[in-house]
């Protein structure tokens, strides 16, 4: 009988450890939900060549349990500049990324550009897109 109760106690201990590990994994998964943008694509519309410097703003919410830092932003064209938040965004907080498109040295027509980002939360890297049409 003592051996049976010892085995039962070991099983309960193992079960308790497994439950603890699963719970900590669930908390960690919630911590890595990361950042959610209101829009992943911003259309800056149709604009004339003589007014080809355009501004747009990506708005986001920090869904992680910790502060959100943007480490890097890399546009696929030097005609796009990015203004990242200067301070970390607190958990549950909202923020903005300001983007400027300078089409003064670009040809008339449709434009589409990707901006690549690196952060400290999941997804650690992602991309957003701007698009528009420049006319005479």
């Amino acid at each position: 009988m003592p051996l049976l109760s010892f085995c039962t106690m070991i099983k309960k201990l193992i079960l308790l450890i497994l439950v603890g590990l699963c719970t900590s994994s669930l908390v960690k998964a919630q911590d890595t939900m990361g950042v959610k943008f209101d829009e992943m694509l911003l259309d800056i519309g149709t604009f004339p060549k003589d007014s080809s410097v355009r501004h747009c703003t990506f708005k986001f919410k920090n869904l992680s349990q910790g502060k959100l830092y943007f480490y890097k932003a890399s546009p696929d064209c030097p005609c796009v500049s990015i203004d990242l938040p200067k301070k970390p965004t607190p958990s549950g907080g909202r923020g903005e990324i300001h983007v400027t498109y300078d089409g003064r040295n670009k040809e008339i027509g449709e434009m589409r550009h990707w901006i690549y980002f690196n952060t400290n939360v999941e997804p650690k890297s992602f991309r957003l897109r701007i698009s528009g049409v420049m006319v005479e």
Side-chain angles (χ1 to χ4, degrees), residues 18-130:
L18 289 174
V19 168
L21 289 174
C22 289
T23 303
S24 70
S25 295
L26 182 59
V27 169
K28 182 66 176 166
Q30 290 174 347
D31 188 40
T32 60
M33 286 173 33
V35 59
K36 182 177 190 299
F37 282 86
D38 294 352
E39 303 286 336
M40 299 293 286
L41 164 67
L42 287 180
D43 184 355
I44 58 177
T46 301
F47 53 93
K49 174 101 173 149
D50 63 354
S51 181
S52 62
V53 176
R54 311 300 288 182
H55 305 278
C56 59
T57 302
F58 286 99
K59 296 180 180 184
F60 63 88
K61 182 172 184 177
N62 178 3
L63 300 177
S64 74
Q65 297 297 314
K67 293 179 181 178
L68 168 65
Y69 295 88
F70 285 90
Y71 295 129
K72 184 177 179 185
S74 304
D76 66 359
C77 176
C79 60
V80 177
S81 60
I82 302 108
D83 184 23
L84 292 174
K86 305 288 187 245
K87 296 181 179 180
T89 305
S91 177
R94 295 193 55 82
E96 297 180 344
I97 295 174
H98 301 282
V99 177
T100 302
Y101 170 74
D102 184 351
R104 289 179 287 191
N105 296 321
K106 295 294 185 180
E107 293 183 23
I108 300 295
E110 190 174 333
M111 69 85 169
R112 286 187 217 115
H113 294 290
W114 290 104
I115 306 165
Y116 300 89
F117 296 91
N118 294 93
T119 70
N120 65 314
V121 300
E122 293 297 331
K124 292 198 183 277
S125 61
F126 60 92
R127 64 185 183 174
L128 301 174
R129 190 173 197 179
I130 61 169

